[in-house]
Amino acid sequence: MTGRALRLSRLRGVASEGRGGRLAEPRGGRARRRGTQPKVVALGGGMGLSASLAALRRITGDLTAVVTVADDGGSSGRLRHELGVLPPGDLRKALAALCGDDDWGQTWSRVIQHRFQSQGDLHDHAVGNLLIVALWEQLGDHVQALDLVGKLLGAHGRVLPMSAVPLELQALVRGHDPDRPEDIDTVRGQATVALTPGEVQSVHLVPNDPPAVPEAVEAVLDADWVVVGPGSWFSSVIPHLLVPELLDALLETKARRVLSLNLAPQPGETEGFSPQRHLEVLGRHAPKLALDVVLADEAAVPDRDSLSDAARRFGAAVELAPVARRDGTPRHDPELLAAAYDRIFRMHGRIGPWR
């Protein structure tokens, strides 16, 4: 057994011991009954992951978000640099997206997303960021604290960080300095990478072999479906593939894998990218990754044949569906995205129908 395989086995053992008295169900320990809900894990960060979670919570009650922890901007960056904690912002957004549509859920969603406006040190801090960090300090356990926040909010799912250590995102960027358009520079920090005027060639994490959270690894291994994206491609989606134990879990899991593409290129980070180029970049960072389905908005794919060719290199079929809001903004509609995921789970799943 290789060193990475041994670590993956140990991570599964740690997760199976559970947190706070909760025991994880062993993989394959109970046959799935016809009509039960699928176990879904969603990987990402920021608003892209929030859109996916808002859709997925409508079709399954067994949902886990695994969230990137490389943010270094805004309130999260300030807390990270001052207290040495994981950046809580993307974790907070995921929890807010999992809140229900009733008064309790919507009230708490607004509360944890609320930002203070002042002339002092609290300016622009999000209430949820402070709550999450306070519980981390009180409990000394990232997962237990996030589970407790989720319980308070009545969240329709679980939120986990992909790693238990703060990560720095670094990128090789061509033309980051407009005065040197052909030079390739190392750009440091997620916030800077996301806004670079240059062309991102590749990204990596510091440390380059970060430990995965055991519960995140176990969730991927025990899933029926793993959903990757949408989101900022280089700063929210690809980082999950750069955590060795998490990538190993993605390669080993028997779950079906769906990649959800963005509705439009992101200014700066993926300016000018076609849908198929998003896949090509993903493949360069994780050449062994296999996919089952690539989901894209039908209006955002000008060349369907090229996208199908790129998807086939991953072993994936392409599903086109209207998933964008009808107001013309490049944002996903939760109901339409939920319908697309539900159809994919039914058409491409091994067990289904789920409901």
Side-chain angles (χ1 to χ4, degrees):
M1 182 178 289
T2 66
R4 279 174 63 172
L6 181 59
R7 282 204 295 172
L8 188 63
S9 177
R10 288 173 176 169
L11 279 173
R12 293 191 64 179
V14 170
S16 67
E17 294 173 2
R19 298 273 183 158
R22 297 174 58 181
L23 296 178
E25 181 185 322
R27 184 175 178 80
R30 176 172 60 87
R32 196 67 49 82
R33 295 190 307 274
R34 182 178 178 87
T36 58
Q37 299 181 89
K39 291 184 177 182
V40 181
V41 175
L43 309 182
M47 298 309 297
L49 177 61
S50 295
S52 202
L53 294 175
L56 289 167
R57 68 174 171 82
R58 288 168 160 79
I59 58 175
T60 182
D62 198 336
L63 176 59
T64 301
V66 178
V67 184
T68 183
V69 286
D71 189 9
D72 63 347
S75 171
S76 286
R78 290 160 60 193
L79 290 168
R80 171 178 176 167
H81 295 140
E82 182 174 345
L83 301 174
V85 296
L86 294 180
D90 283 351
L91 297 161
R92 180 200 81 244
K93 292 173 186 174
L95 285 163
L98 290 174
C99 286
D101 295 322
D102 57 355
D103 288 342
W104 181 272
Q106 290 305 294
T107 297
W108 275 109
S109 177
R110 290 192 299 270
V111 167
I112 65 169
Q113 295 282 56
H114 175 77
R115 291 184 182 272
F116 296 105
Q117 301 297 313
S118 73
Q119 301 299 315
D121 292 340
L122 276 177
H123 177 70
D124 207 37
H125 271 307
V127 171
N129 288 356
L130 301 178
L131 175 62
I132 290 169
V133 172
L135 282 168
W136 283 342
E137 292 191 346
Q138 287 286 316
L139 300 177
D141 186 306
H142 294 105
V143 173
Q144 186 180 358
L146 289 166
D147 283 345
L148 190 57
V149 177
K151 184 177 181 180
L152 171 67
L153 305 181
H156 294 242
R158 194 181 194 194
V159 173
L160 300 170
M162 70 178 186
S163 178
V165 298
L167 303 174
E168 180 183 76
L169 185 72
Q170 295 187 1
L172 295 179
V173 181
R174 183 189 301 276
H176 180 68
D177 183 346
D179 293 332
R180 298 182 290 111
E182 296 304 315
D183 288 0
I184 295 179
D185 297 307
T186 298
V187 176
R188 295 174 172 82
Q190 180 176 316
T192 306
V193 171
L195 297 175
T196 179
E199 180 182 338
V200 179
Q201 305 293 299
S202 64
V203 291
H204 60 276
L205 296 174
V206 177
N208 62 8
D209 189 13
V213 167
E215 290 83 354
V217 170
E218 180 67 14
V220 171
L221 291 171
D222 199 40
D224 295 309
W225 280 91
V226 177
V227 177
V228 182
S232 299
W233 217 243
F234 286 106
S235 52
S236 292
V237 175
I238 290 177
H240 289 79
L241 309 178
L242 306 179
V243 178
E245 293 151 350
L246 197 54
L247 176 59
D248 287 346
L250 280 167
L251 298 178
E252 180 185 320
T253 183
K254 294 180 181 178
R256 291 283 174 112
R257 307 167 189 89
V258 56
L259 178 70
S260 187
L261 291 176
N262 294 335
L263 296 172
Q266 182 176 345
E269 191 170 315
T270 54
E271 187 73 47
F273 274 34
S274 63
Q276 55 268 25
R277 188 172 178 191
H278 283 77
L279 283 174
E280 293 163 3
V281 167
L282 196 77
R284 290 205 302 268
H285 286 83
K288 295 182 180 180
L289 181 67
L291 299 169
D292 293 281
V293 181
V294 173
L295 170 63
D297 184 79
E298 56 189 7
V301 181
D303 187 344
R304 300 186 180 189
D305 290 339
S306 294
L307 178 59
S308 294
D309 288 342
R312 273 195 292 270
R313 298 188 187 103
F314 290 85
V318 173
E319 290 289 341
L320 300 179
V323 294
R325 292 180 184 265
R326 294 186 176 91
D327 59 6
T329 61
R331 295 182 299 161
H332 287 86
D333 181 282
E335 296 289 348
L336 293 176
L337 188 57
Y341 283 142
D342 191 52
R343 185 171 61 255
I344 287 170
F345 294 171
R346 292 169 181 273
M347 291 177 58
H348 297 272
R350 295 186 177 92
I351 302 171
W354 305 108
R355 291 187 277 119

